[in-house]
Amino acid sequence: MQTHQYDVVIVGAGGAGMRAALESSGRVRTAVISKLYPTRSHTGAAQGGMCAALANVEEDNWEWHTFDTVKGGDYLVDQDAAEIMAKEAIEAVLDLERMGLPFNRTPEGKIDQRRFGGHTRNHGEAAVRRSCYAADRTGHMILQTLYQQCVKQDVSFFNEFYVLDVLLSSDLSTGEVADGEPVAVSGVVAYELATGEIHLFRAKSVVFATGGAGKIYKTTSNAHTLTGDGMALALRRGIPLEDMEFFQFHPTGLAGLGILLSEAARGEGGILRNGDGERFMERYAPTIKDLAPRDIVARSMANEVREGRGAGPNKDYVLLDLTHLEPAHIDAKLPDITEFARTYLGIEPYTEPVPVYPTAHYAMGGIPTNINTEVLRNNTDVVQGLYAAGEVACVSVHGSNRLGTNSLLDINVFGKRAGIAAAAYAATVDWAELPEDPAAYVVGEIERMRDQPVGERVSDLRRELQESMDLNAQVFRTQESLTQALADIKHLKKRYGSVSVQDKGRRYNTDLLEALELGFLLELAEVVVVGALAREESRGGHFREDFPTRDDERFMMHTMAYQRPSSTAGETEIRLDHKPVIMTRYQPMERKY
Amino acid sequence: MAQTVTPSALEAPRSPRSPRSRRSTRTNYELYGWVFMRASGALLLVLIFGHLFMNLWVGEGINAIDFAFVGGKWSSPLWQTWDLLMLWLAMIHGTNGVRTIINDYAERDATRIVLKSALYLAFVVTVVLGTLVIFTFDPCPPNAPAELLASFCTA
Amino acid sequence: MTAVVDAPSGASPETAPEVGAVPTFDVTLRIRRYNPEVAGDEAYWEEFTVTAHGTDRVLDAMHKIKWELDGSLTFRRSCAHGICGSDAMRINGRNRLACKALLKDLNPDKPITIEPIKGLPVEKDLVVDMEPFFASYREIMPFLITSGNEPSKERLQSAEQRERYDDTTKCILCAACTSSCPVFWTDGQYFGPAAIVNAHRFIFDSRDEGGTQRLEILNDKEGVWRCRTTFNCTEACPRGIEVTKAIQEVKRAMITRAF
């Protein structure tokens, strides 16, 4: 085992992680640990843009942006956080431009902006041009630009290192640590993919920026590597997860494949049509039609299909129509996504509409943090030195439904805040005491998994999990379907105890890591389903057919899910608690578009 | 503490196959080389076609070529310069071309050194010999049969 | 994985099924394996036959092998739709991303050969050491270089100036171009197309002031002058970047500067 010592260790090298690294590495000794090479991170797959009220093309202000974010999140947004995000968005975009990001430009040479779902002028009057973009590869440009700056600053990266444990000064997982007692982070334990060696990273501050967990679903726009590692590690160590039942289904995934086609396609004028050729969004959102927030569009699409108005031989998808747009316009603004349609479905978007269907896209929930990105271990106490930013965190700026482009904003605004806060904290404190035998848990897990001679295949369990989640916990949910999902997950968790991997080696053992990732997925799926069962209302990305309306009386609050030992020895269960929503200016109203 | 041992058979996977030994060579040598190849190539086209035109086309064409014809040409400073230029440019152009091919395809340093030494030796021999011939050529060697010589030798 | 697994019977309408009626077919993958830990220092070929659907990509078939036949088959992958650049490999002798190569376009009647990309040290199966590749990238100073005070707002740039370097901003650093280059294969000292593409992205950015330094770096004996314009890189680029053209533009900029 090798030991490293850094003031700040950042886990994850996507947008949030690298944005944090840029702040932190200039101030204190910083390491970034990533399970991939930084440029492989899924930030690069984001397409449409990053909203900020620059008002470069039309009147706009950050307060309208705040309102849209709050309303888009169906009022479950913590409004103090949304205000910060909308306000700091402007500087975040300008920061990126000054780092060299090649934004599209207006005729005057300023950053160009375009329309995006749910973003409106003057509290919902009409769609507004707020999204700053670089063709339909804004995320790619952000990831590349941040990596370039990291190269410039000579940031220390540990590539292809899997963080498998976070070390805390007290064991929170038993639930016995009293509120108010100080708990501090002391480092992380990582597995080096190339050699199979265990590395102990001792740190004063740890920033989690590990991204989402889309792989709990089968149809997803997420990368194979998005297995919710950071969330699950926190959960295992007794830190709660907030609002995990809210998962965003992006309306326009390529049908059958789940590959994302940006909302920018609709921002640029694309229209959704059902099997009869009808522009059905006019019925669901008369004012902003196809540019309604994602939860509404996704549900409307699923409803069209369910009521037999789908397109295609099996009437199981709807169509994204770009044929009325000029090919030159499509090439200039949407080159990549039209390429996806050609490559994967053999469809020419100039002349044919593209088959689309909702695809699991984004976890609104995550590790709870305050506005300074400090991780909360209950409703009020922070874990000293532990920070989280990006999709892994729940600040909560997205509430029950994230608006398009707000994730790229989230990673930049809160990534930056996390980097500054982590460095500032590390500069003032001494090294926290390491637990005795800090790598014991990770070594035990790995050896158990590797040494199991025969057993079930990881892929079988994962497939069953993903199929059950797609079937039972997707756009439409009921008590019955969720109960089924929970039973499936519990059964799979039992079977997980007997999985075995075929690759017994140390060198680049991805087989072993897929097995560990499956463990994360199973635990997170359980949190999603338990939270969804308890939330007997419909709000944002969470739609219960048996409770189709929003119930502010009972559920205007965040879900806090804790993993605690159950009465059966050696097993755990999810216990739910609640946290109040912070409201500053906007009182909940009915959400109409 | 549990010990994770790296098996001895597993060499450190991060060491590159051939460690980058790039010495900073930031002269314009390669740039001039690249430009020279294009410029000499264009010039050689003119020189070679001019040469072929004179030798094979004008007058009786190929039937006119004999010792006297060559002797006649090389008694003129114009054709001496022409052929000298052609020799030098073609040799430098060709040698540089082969040098880059050796650089591209010879993987081992030793192979490279051997091939390049042979190449440069061939270059020097050919250029020195050729230059000597052009300048020391005697169009009217003594005791040669008169019918083989250029008309001005007998004058 | 969406494509290799059929939806279970009784699926409700909200699960996304296959697009249209897609026929299945058997395909054989001939994969170059290498694992010094187990099988010694020699690489060897291994063939696997799996059943695939019409829209399946090479990556789907490889996942099927890894998940159902041989878990030790090792390759990198992440996003699975050609944007992260993890899964560049040599498929039927051509560098491609496994997630962008559709099986039906590859003539599944014959075995499809899959090898690691060339010119970088192989670590295990299709995994190569990317460090030399990124080292070259870092050497060309791939970041915006400016002088003077930062502006309080954005730097201005016209749409035409932005368009000038658009093509080379698409690079995802997958190494398909560099590892398709015969000059790079020889000794790995050449900077390679990817590094030059990323230098191009800044040299032709109107906001950047580090062009001279980058041109000087690429004027190296292992720099742009080793390019033989074989166009392998342009053909290999999964993002459709005109790589050879970009290299030629850098050469032209150097000549303009020198004379």
Side-chain angles (χ1 to χ4, degrees), chain A residues 516-536:
Chain A
L516 297 174
E517 288 170 342
L518 173 63
F520 300 149
L521 291 176
L522 285 167
E523 284 171 42
L524 292 177
E526 186 181 3
V527 179
V528 171
V529 171
V530 169
L533 260 175
R535 191 173 276 277
E536 295 178 333

PDB file of all heavy atoms in Angstrom, chain A residues 516-536:
ATOM      1  N   LEU A 516     -17.805  -4.159  -8.105  1.00  0.00           N
ATOM      2  CA  LEU A 516     -17.932  -3.193  -7.008  1.00  0.00           C
ATOM      3  C   LEU A 516     -18.958  -2.112  -7.353  1.00  0.00           C
ATOM      4  O   LEU A 516     -19.740  -1.678  -6.512  1.00  0.00           O
ATOM      5  CB  LEU A 516     -16.574  -2.558  -6.709  1.00  0.00           C
ATOM      6  CG  LEU A 516     -15.500  -3.540  -6.213  1.00  0.00           C
ATOM      7  CD1 LEU A 516     -14.161  -2.835  -6.096  1.00  0.00           C
ATOM      8  CD2 LEU A 516     -15.890  -4.144  -4.872  1.00  0.00           C
ATOM      9  N   GLU A 517     -18.948  -1.697  -8.639  1.00  0.00           N
ATOM     10  CA  GLU A 517     -19.904  -0.676  -9.068  1.00  0.00           C
ATOM     11  C   GLU A 517     -21.341  -1.174  -8.945  1.00  0.00           C
ATOM     12  O   GLU A 517     -22.253  -0.405  -8.606  1.00  0.00           O
ATOM     13  CB  GLU A 517     -19.625  -0.262 -10.519  1.00  0.00           C
ATOM     14  CG  GLU A 517     -18.365   0.570 -10.651  1.00  0.00           C
ATOM     15  CD  GLU A 517     -17.924   0.784 -12.094  1.00  0.00           C
ATOM     16  OE1 GLU A 517     -18.377   0.030 -12.991  1.00  0.00           O
ATOM     17  OE2 GLU A 517     -17.126   1.688 -12.342  1.00  0.00           O
ATOM     18  N   LEU A 518     -21.537  -2.446  -9.212  1.00  0.00           N
ATOM     19  CA  LEU A 518     -22.885  -3.003  -9.073  1.00  0.00           C
ATOM     20  C   LEU A 518     -23.369  -2.865  -7.630  1.00  0.00           C
ATOM     21  O   LEU A 518     -24.545  -2.569  -7.385  1.00  0.00           O
ATOM     22  CB  LEU A 518     -22.894  -4.475  -9.508  1.00  0.00           C
ATOM     23  CG  LEU A 518     -24.202  -5.215  -9.256  1.00  0.00           C
ATOM     24  CD1 LEU A 518     -25.340  -4.602 -10.067  1.00  0.00           C
ATOM     25  CD2 LEU A 518     -24.072  -6.699  -9.583  1.00  0.00           C
ATOM     26  N   GLY A 519     -22.467  -3.059  -6.684  1.00  0.00           N
ATOM     27  CA  GLY A 519     -22.831  -2.879  -5.275  1.00  0.00           C
ATOM     28  C   GLY A 519     -23.339  -1.467  -5.013  1.00  0.00           C
ATOM     29  O   GLY A 519     -24.337  -1.265  -4.321  1.00  0.00           O
ATOM     30  N   PHE A 520     -22.655  -0.471  -5.615  1.00  0.00           N
ATOM     31  CA  PHE A 520     -23.097   0.920  -5.457  1.00  0.00           C
ATOM     32  C   PHE A 520     -24.493   1.103  -6.055  1.00  0.00           C
ATOM     33  O   PHE A 520     -25.367   1.730  -5.463  1.00  0.00           O
ATOM     34  CB  PHE A 520     -22.124   1.887  -6.148  1.00  0.00           C
ATOM     35  CG  PHE A 520     -20.715   1.835  -5.619  1.00  0.00           C
ATOM     36  CD1 PHE A 520     -19.636   2.097  -6.450  1.00  0.00           C
ATOM     37  CD2 PHE A 520     -20.465   1.545  -4.286  1.00  0.00           C
ATOM     38  CE1 PHE A 520     -18.336   2.070  -5.964  1.00  0.00           C
ATOM     39  CE2 PHE A 520     -19.165   1.510  -3.796  1.00  0.00           C
ATOM     40  CZ  PHE A 520     -18.101   1.768  -4.642  1.00  0.00           C
ATOM     41  N   LEU A 521     -24.663   0.564  -7.269  1.00  0.00           N
ATOM     42  CA  LEU A 521     -25.938   0.750  -7.975  1.00  0.00           C
ATOM     43  C   LEU A 521     -27.097   0.179  -7.181  1.00  0.00           C
ATOM     44  O   LEU A 521     -28.163   0.787  -7.076  1.00  0.00           O
ATOM     45  CB  LEU A 521     -25.884   0.083  -9.357  1.00  0.00           C
ATOM     46  CG  LEU A 521     -24.968   0.736 -10.388  1.00  0.00           C
ATOM     47  CD1 LEU A 521     -24.946  -0.087 -11.673  1.00  0.00           C
ATOM     48  CD2 LEU A 521     -25.423   2.151 -10.689  1.00  0.00           C
ATOM     49  N   LEU A 522     -26.890  -1.021  -6.620  1.00  0.00           N
ATOM     50  CA  LEU A 522     -27.973  -1.671  -5.878  1.00  0.00           C
ATOM     51  C   LEU A 522     -28.389  -0.825  -4.679  1.00  0.00           C
ATOM     52  O   LEU A 522     -29.585  -0.622  -4.418  1.00  0.00           O
ATOM     53  CB  LEU A 522     -27.526  -3.058  -5.405  1.00  0.00           C
ATOM     54  CG  LEU A 522     -27.470  -4.134  -6.494  1.00  0.00           C
ATOM     55  CD1 LEU A 522     -26.725  -5.360  -5.998  1.00  0.00           C
ATOM     56  CD2 LEU A 522     -28.871  -4.517  -6.948  1.00  0.00           C
ATOM     57  N   GLU A 523     -27.398  -0.298  -3.973  1.00  0.00           N
ATOM     58  CA  GLU A 523     -27.733   0.487  -2.784  1.00  0.00           C
ATOM     59  C   GLU A 523     -28.421   1.790  -3.154  1.00  0.00           C
ATOM     60  O   GLU A 523     -29.365   2.227  -2.476  1.00  0.00           O
ATOM     61  CB  GLU A 523     -26.463   0.757  -1.963  1.00  0.00           C
ATOM     62  CG  GLU A 523     -26.059  -0.494  -1.194  1.00  0.00           C
ATOM     63  CD  GLU A 523     -24.695  -0.382  -0.534  1.00  0.00           C
ATOM     64  OE1 GLU A 523     -24.380   0.678   0.027  1.00  0.00           O
ATOM     65  OE2 GLU A 523     -23.949  -1.374  -0.583  1.00  0.00           O
ATOM     66  N   LEU A 524     -27.976   2.406  -4.258  1.00  0.00           N
ATOM     67  CA  LEU A 524     -28.602   3.668  -4.656  1.00  0.00           C
ATOM     68  C   LEU A 524     -30.011   3.446  -5.175  1.00  0.00           C
ATOM     69  O   LEU A 524     -30.924   4.228  -4.892  1.00  0.00           O
ATOM     70  CB  LEU A 524     -27.749   4.365  -5.720  1.00  0.00           C
ATOM     71  CG  LEU A 524     -26.406   4.865  -5.211  1.00  0.00           C
ATOM     72  CD1 LEU A 524     -25.604   5.465  -6.347  1.00  0.00           C
ATOM     73  CD2 LEU A 524     -26.594   5.893  -4.103  1.00  0.00           C
ATOM     74  N   ALA A 525     -30.205   2.361  -5.927  1.00  0.00           N
ATOM     75  CA  ALA A 525     -31.543   2.068  -6.439  1.00  0.00           C
ATOM     76  C   ALA A 525     -32.509   1.898  -5.279  1.00  0.00           C
ATOM     77  O   ALA A 525     -33.661   2.359  -5.334  1.00  0.00           O
ATOM     78  CB  ALA A 525     -31.500   0.810  -7.303  1.00  0.00           C
ATOM     79  N   GLU A 526     -32.035   1.285  -4.226  1.00  0.00           N
ATOM     80  CA  GLU A 526     -32.896   1.098  -3.066  1.00  0.00           C
ATOM     81  C   GLU A 526     -33.313   2.455  -2.480  1.00  0.00           C
ATOM     82  O   GLU A 526     -34.488   2.674  -2.156  1.00  0.00           O
ATOM     83  CB  GLU A 526     -32.184   0.258  -1.997  1.00  0.00           C
ATOM     84  CG  GLU A 526     -33.090  -0.080  -0.823  1.00  0.00           C
ATOM     85  CD  GLU A 526     -32.395  -0.893   0.268  1.00  0.00           C
ATOM     86  OE1 GLU A 526     -31.187  -1.143   0.147  1.00  0.00           O
ATOM     87  OE2 GLU A 526     -33.082  -1.260   1.236  1.00  0.00           O
ATOM     88  N   VAL A 527     -32.357   3.368  -2.383  1.00  0.00           N
ATOM     89  CA  VAL A 527     -32.680   4.695  -1.846  1.00  0.00           C
ATOM     90  C   VAL A 527     -33.707   5.390  -2.739  1.00  0.00           C
ATOM     91  O   VAL A 527     -34.669   5.996  -2.256  1.00  0.00           O
ATOM     92  CB  VAL A 527     -31.402   5.555  -1.724  1.00  0.00           C
ATOM     93  CG1 VAL A 527     -31.747   6.935  -1.196  1.00  0.00           C
ATOM     94  CG2 VAL A 527     -30.401   4.879  -0.814  1.00  0.00           C
ATOM     95  N   VAL A 528     -33.516   5.295  -4.059  1.00  0.00           N
ATOM     96  CA  VAL A 528     -34.448   5.927  -4.999  1.00  0.00           C
ATOM     97  C   VAL A 528     -35.857   5.379  -4.771  1.00  0.00           C
ATOM     98  O   VAL A 528     -36.830   6.126  -4.632  1.00  0.00           O
ATOM     99  CB  VAL A 528     -34.007   5.665  -6.464  1.00  0.00           C
ATOM    100  CG1 VAL A 528     -35.088   6.121  -7.440  1.00  0.00           C
ATOM    101  CG2 VAL A 528     -32.696   6.368  -6.757  1.00  0.00           C
ATOM    102  N   VAL A 529     -35.966   4.067  -4.701  1.00  0.00           N
ATOM    103  CA  VAL A 529     -37.281   3.439  -4.631  1.00  0.00           C
ATOM    104  C   VAL A 529     -37.941   3.681  -3.265  1.00  0.00           C
ATOM    105  O   VAL A 529     -39.133   3.991  -3.192  1.00  0.00           O
ATOM    106  CB  VAL A 529     -37.166   1.934  -4.948  1.00  0.00           C
ATOM    107  CG1 VAL A 529     -38.485   1.238  -4.673  1.00  0.00           C
ATOM    108  CG2 VAL A 529     -36.753   1.744  -6.393  1.00  0.00           C
ATOM    109  N   VAL A 530     -37.165   3.576  -2.196  1.00  0.00           N
ATOM    110  CA  VAL A 530     -37.742   3.810  -0.869  1.00  0.00           C
ATOM    111  C   VAL A 530     -38.251   5.248  -0.777  1.00  0.00           C
ATOM    112  O   VAL A 530     -39.364   5.514  -0.291  1.00  0.00           O
ATOM    113  CB  VAL A 530     -36.695   3.512   0.233  1.00  0.00           C
ATOM    114  CG1 VAL A 530     -37.186   4.008   1.580  1.00  0.00           C
ATOM    115  CG2 VAL A 530     -36.397   2.032   0.285  1.00  0.00           C
ATOM    116  N   GLY A 531     -37.484   6.181  -1.289  1.00  0.00           N
ATOM    117  CA  GLY A 531     -37.913   7.583  -1.277  1.00  0.00           C
ATOM    118  C   GLY A 531     -39.159   7.789  -2.125  1.00  0.00           C
ATOM    119  O   GLY A 531     -40.079   8.513  -1.747  1.00  0.00           O
ATOM    120  N   ALA A 532     -39.202   7.126  -3.273  1.00  0.00           N
ATOM    121  CA  ALA A 532     -40.334   7.286  -4.185  1.00  0.00           C
ATOM    122  C   ALA A 532     -41.605   6.691  -3.593  1.00  0.00           C
ATOM    123  O   ALA A 532     -42.701   7.210  -3.795  1.00  0.00           O
ATOM    124  CB  ALA A 532     -40.015   6.628  -5.527  1.00  0.00           C
ATOM    125  N   LEU A 533     -41.455   5.595  -2.866  1.00  0.00           N
ATOM    126  CA  LEU A 533     -42.616   4.971  -2.222  1.00  0.00           C
ATOM    127  C   LEU A 533     -43.201   5.890  -1.160  1.00  0.00           C
ATOM    128  O   LEU A 533     -44.420   6.041  -1.036  1.00  0.00           O
ATOM    129  CB  LEU A 533     -42.183   3.665  -1.555  1.00  0.00           C
ATOM    130  CG  LEU A 533     -42.462   2.368  -2.300  1.00  0.00           C
ATOM    131  CD1 LEU A 533     -41.862   1.205  -1.534  1.00  0.00           C
ATOM    132  CD2 LEU A 533     -43.956   2.157  -2.516  1.00  0.00           C
ATOM    133  N   ALA A 534     -42.314   6.533  -0.412  1.00  0.00           N
ATOM    134  CA  ALA A 534     -42.780   7.358   0.688  1.00  0.00           C
ATOM    135  C   ALA A 534     -43.394   8.663   0.202  1.00  0.00           C
ATOM    136  O   ALA A 534     -44.257   9.234   0.860  1.00  0.00           O
ATOM    137  CB  ALA A 534     -41.614   7.653   1.634  1.00  0.00           C
ATOM    138  N   ARG A 535     -42.942   9.146  -0.947  1.00  0.00           N
ATOM    139  CA  ARG A 535     -43.439  10.437  -1.418  1.00  0.00           C
ATOM    140  C   ARG A 535     -44.740  10.232  -2.181  1.00  0.00           C
ATOM    141  O   ARG A 535     -44.750  10.028  -3.394  1.00  0.00           O
ATOM    142  CB  ARG A 535     -42.378  11.116  -2.290  1.00  0.00           C
ATOM    143  CG  ARG A 535     -42.690  12.573  -2.602  1.00  0.00           C
ATOM    144  CD  ARG A 535     -41.533  13.238  -3.313  1.00  0.00           C
ATOM    145  NE  ARG A 535     -40.498  13.743  -2.414  1.00  0.00           N
ATOM    146  CZ  ARG A 535     -40.543  14.916  -1.775  1.00  0.00           C
ATOM    147  NH1 ARG A 535     -41.578  15.717  -1.951  1.00  0.00           N
ATOM    148  NH2 ARG A 535     -39.559  15.280  -0.985  1.00  0.00           N
ATOM    149  N   GLU A 536     -45.813  10.316  -1.467  1.00  0.00           N
ATOM    150  CA  GLU A 536     -47.131  10.041  -2.064  1.00  0.00           C
ATOM    151  C   GLU A 536     -47.706  11.308  -2.670  1.00  0.00           C
ATOM    152  O   GLU A 536     -48.714  11.855  -2.225  1.00  0.00           O
ATOM    153  CB  GLU A 536     -48.058   9.441  -1.000  1.00  0.00           C
ATOM    154  CG  GLU A 536     -47.562   8.069  -0.529  1.00  0.00           C
ATOM    155  CD  GLU A 536     -48.419   7.461   0.560  1.00  0.00           C
ATOM    156  OE1 GLU A 536     -49.055   8.222   1.317  1.00  0.00           O
ATOM    157  OE2 GLU A 536     -48.453   6.225   0.647  1.00  0.00           O
TER     158      GLU A 536
END
